[in-house]
Amino acid sequence: METDKAAPLRVDAETAIILREAYHKIEALFRTDHYGLYDYVRVVAGKIARVDAFFIGFLHGSRRVRYPYGYDDGAYVSPDTHTFGPNGQTAWLIKHRQTYRFAYDNGSALHAGVPIGDQTRRSADVVTVPIFRAVKDGADQLFGMLSMQSYLPGSYDDNAVRAFEWLAGLVERVLTREGEDKDALRRLPAGDTGPNLLTSDHVVEYLTHRVASIRDIAVEALTEPDLNAAVHTHLTRIIDATEHIQTELIEMLLETDEGPERRFASLTKAQQGVAVLLADGFDNDQLAAELGVSPNTVKTHLSAILRKYGLRSRAQVADDVRRYLAR
């Protein structure tokens, strides 16, 4: 029986060597380091063709694009969020679901959107590749884009476009595998809460550890010989600032809502079991079957849970339990 084989990528030999090396490095080094992944993809793209500006963006909500990584004319561009309009690149990608090239409309969609980096310069060539992910019904959903831009016209031939599309596909697969890992977590009780519900605890703990790493770098730098007085002063200020930030972040946690944890802890073990299944969307019959108890016992547990939570509906309880489980 013959098996379907993907058609070979039509790029020149030099480009193929660059892409093969990129594949192995990304597999080995950047599975969980998104900044490193995006930065490395930019460097690889620059080996294939001129790349003056580079960004990766992700759709969020119905009208926003969040840009976690951007680079323009040799300088890092701070992450940003923009609401996209009806005539820019994002709208074009949503409509056409294919790679956007400058030649398609002489850059009209490119220049209709908010420029990245230096807003006084206009890109003269662009390749923006859509990034898709599979959804439940088996269809592909557009959720991001990878854009390479040049200030010189005619920078991107078909070889460069195919290479950029291949790189975008590699980024897509890395992010998709992470999604598959999250799907495994969703199989746990009330698993739909864990991967998706980002809480203040998650954010603050992440920031605290990242700030600590910056402080450690500054502390190590202070041990370098021959530091001049000005550099020593700046490093000391960085250390002082990071220590202040770490303290403030932890104290912010004291201001977060402890209600979900307190309410869940007030339940008996049996009631907690019901509450977790309730967060998974079980109805009364399903609860009874899963727990091996009678429907009347389920109703008794639910009444007690509603009373302890001080809420009127099981849907409100389920939401509150999800917030606790996602802490």
Side-chain angles (χ1 to χ4, degrees):
M1 178 179 177
E2 293 184 0
T3 57
D4 293 335
K5 296 179 67 176
L9 185 67
R10 292 185 292 115
V11 295
D12 59 40
E14 181 179 357
T15 299
I17 292 171
I18 292 170
L19 295 180
R20 187 175 296 275
E21 178 185 44
Y23 171 83
H24 291 296
K25 287 192 175 181
I26 287 173
E27 283 290 302
L29 301 175
F30 302 119
R31 282 291 303 276
T32 58
D33 177 6
H34 288 189
Y35 174 89
L37 171 65
Y38 307 148
D39 197 55
Y40 181 67
V41 168
R42 174 187 61 82
V43 171
V44 173
K47 293 180 180 179
I48 296 166
R50 179 188 179 106
V51 177
D52 292 316
F54 175 97
F55 72 79
I56 185 164
F58 295 105
L59 297 176
H60 193 194
S62 60
R63 303 296 297 175
R64 293 189 303 277
V65 183
R66 301 197 186 277
Y67 300 97
Y69 179 92
Y71 216 80
D72 180 50
D73 203 19
Y76 175 72
V77 177
S78 295
D80 206 349
T81 299
H82 293 293
T83 300
F84 66 87
N87 301 314
Q89 282 192 103
T90 303
W92 193 98
L93 292 173
I94 292 173
K95 179 180 179 180
H96 297 282
R97 296 175 60 84
Q98 68 178 50
T99 297
Y100 171 74
R101 300 179 66 171
F102 190 94
Y104 290 164
D105 59 2
N106 199 33
S108 293
L110 169 67
H111 297 312
V114 178
I116 188 172
D118 186 354
Q119 299 190 14
T120 66
R121 305 178 70 182
R122 289 166 64 92
S123 294
D125 203 358
V126 62
V127 177
T128 301
V129 185
I131 300 175
F132 297 94
R133 63 182 170 196
V135 292
K136 289 183 179 180
D137 61 3
D140 288 332
Q141 177 190 50
L142 174 69
F143 81 104
M145 67 200 74
L146 196 67
S147 185
M148 282 64 57
Q149 302 179 19
S150 172
Y151 292 127
L152 293 181
S155 294
Y156 304 128
D157 58 14
D158 291 344
N159 180 80
V161 173
R162 286 191 285 267
F164 293 160
E165 290 175 333
W166 187 90
L167 283 170
L170 196 55
V171 171
E172 176 185 319
R173 287 190 293 276
V174 170
L175 300 179
T176 298
R177 282 197 295 270
E178 292 182 3
E180 292 170 351
D181 291 340
K182 291 178 180 179
D183 283 339
L185 186 57
R186 291 188 184 100
R187 296 179 62 192
L188 297 174
D192 279 341
T193 65
N196 294 324
L197 186 58
L198 188 63
T199 67
S200 56
D201 277 19
H202 296 152
V203 174
V204 172
E205 287 180 11
Y206 171 79
L207 291 175
T208 300
H209 285 94
R210 295 299 289 172
V211 171
S213 69
I214 295 171
R215 179 186 180 279
D216 291 342
I217 293 171
V219 169
E220 183 179 353
L222 278 179
T223 65
E224 293 291 332
D226 303 323
L227 278 182
N228 63 46
V231 172
H232 190 282
T233 298
H234 289 313
L235 288 171
T236 302
R237 290 177 60 196
I238 290 172
I239 293 169
D240 183 66
T242 54
E243 290 172 350
H244 278 75
I245 293 171
Q246 285 179 281
T247 297
E248 291 162 2
L249 286 170
I250 293 299
E251 289 184 344
M252 284 180 184
L253 285 177
L254 299 177
E255 303 299 323
T256 60
D257 181 14
E258 294 181 350
E261 180 177 3
R262 185 179 65 256
R263 286 186 285 271
F264 190 82
S266 72
L267 304 179
T268 66
K269 292 294 183 183
Q271 292 164 357
Q272 287 178 353
V274 172
V276 169
L277 294 176
L278 196 64
D280 257 336
F282 281 47
D283 61 26
N284 282 18
D285 290 339
Q286 291 171 322
L287 286 168
E290 181 70 20
L291 297 170
V293 298
S294 70
N296 285 334
T297 300
V298 168
K299 291 179 181 179
T300 299
H301 284 319
L302 288 174
S303 297
I305 292 169
L306 288 169
R307 185 178 67 256
K308 289 182 177 180
Y309 268 65
L311 298 173
R312 293 184 176 182
S313 74
R314 57 195 294 149
Q316 291 174 319
V317 171
D319 286 341
D320 200 75
V321 173
R322 291 189 193 101
R323 283 193 289 272
Y324 164 68
L325 293 174
R327 73 196 190 285

